[in-house]
Amino acid sequence: LRHKVFLLSNDLEEFTGLPVMGQIPALKLRKRDQFLPDLQDNPVSMVNEAYRNLRTSIQMSSITHEPQVIMMTSTMPNEGKTSHSLALALQYGALKRKTLLVECDLRRRTLNRYFMEQRASDRGLVSVARGDVMIEDAVVKDALPHCDLLLGEKTSINAADFFASEQFTDFIAVARTKYDQIILDTPPVLVVPDA
């Protein structure tokens, strides 16, 4: 390759052998906290349309059944995975799908920065997976339409071991029974092994 970037989705598909699920235009926002209000205030924007297209691509990605659990990640920090997770949760909420957005980046806890004021408890994902608290008592409700948020919490556990544990597997199994869509906002794959 002569370039360090892919300019067209066809080039990316050809190079990886995988389909491109969607293309999201870059937003010119100065602060991270402008992203969510911009999406909510401009429902017919090009960016919202791109996220609707991504949602549709995900819904139609399997002939037998629509994916229920969606993991969002990136290669490095600050590439927009949390923003994409939020936007996708908004799009599923627009369909009135009961959606759970889970903060799985236990080290950086970026979603906490968006919703710290709405947080009712210091308990989060780890406490729910351990069985210390019910999911209904730990989620942030009504921060997004038809979407609950399960935020990360301060913990001394090894995150990679936690996500490989039976506790986390059991948590996902329970969440599948309570929600139509589950979106996991994970850490970048080239930084830590958690994702």
Side-chain angles (χ1 to χ4, degrees):
L1 286 173
R2 292 172 32 203
H3 303 288
K4 293 188 177 186
V5 297
F6 294 99
L7 301 176
L8 301 171
S9 61
N10 291 345
D11 296 338
L12 181 58
E13 286 183 343
E14 186 176 311
F15 183 78
T16 63
L18 300 169
V20 171
M21 300 289 287
Q23 295 178 279
I24 311 298
L27 281 174
K28 294 179 172 81
L29 300 175
R30 293 186 180 170
K31 293 185 179 177
R32 182 185 307 224
D33 59 2
Q34 293 175 316
F35 177 72
L36 200 52
D38 188 68
L39 283 181
Q40 291 173 312
D41 294 343
N42 300 295
V44 293
S45 68
M46 284 180 51
V47 173
N48 269 311
E49 190 61 35
Y51 283 114
R52 277 190 285 279
N53 288 339
L54 174 60
R55 180 195 65 201
T56 302
S57 293
I58 292 169
Q59 289 175 300
M60 302 183 82
S61 64
S62 173
I63 296 171
T64 56
H65 61 279
E66 180 181 339
Q68 184 181 10
V69 179
I70 301 162
M71 182 181 118
M72 299 292 278
T73 191
S74 62
T75 53
M76 300 294 290
N78 301 315
E79 291 182 338
K81 66 175 182 53
T82 298
S83 298
H84 293 321
S85 298
L86 281 165
L88 196 56
L90 273 174
Q91 292 305 324
Y92 277 109
L95 294 178
K96 297 190 175 19
R97 298 274 184 98
K98 191 170 182 191
T99 303
L100 177 66
L101 176 54
V102 183
E103 182 172 46
C104 294
D105 191 342
L106 299 178
R107 300 165 198 260
R108 296 181 73 218
R109 298 185 309 136
T110 306
L111 271 177
N112 267 273
R113 296 180 205 152
Y114 283 98
F115 301 102
M116 188 59 82
E117 292 176 11
Q118 290 107 318
R119 189 171 190 154
S121 156
D122 288 337
R123 303 281 184 109
L125 172 60
V126 175
S127 295
V128 171
R130 284 182 172 166
D132 298 337
V133 64
M134 298 295 290
I135 193 169
E136 296 83 4
D137 298 326
V139 295
V140 175
K141 293 186 175 291
D142 303 321
L144 299 173
H146 305 283
C147 183
D148 290 347
L149 306 171
L150 183 57
L151 301 176
E153 62 193 285
K154 288 184 181 178
T155 181
S156 59
I157 66 165
N158 179 293
D161 291 345
F162 169 70
F163 291 118
S165 72
E166 280 186 38
Q167 288 177 330
F168 184 72
T169 301
D170 293 344
F171 158 73
I172 292 294
V174 169
R176 282 178 178 272
T177 67
K178 296 176 181 289
Y179 293 92
D180 300 318
Q181 302 296 150
I182 303 157
I183 300 171
L184 307 177
D185 180 35
T186 71
V189 294
L190 294 184
V191 178
V192 291
D194 307 358

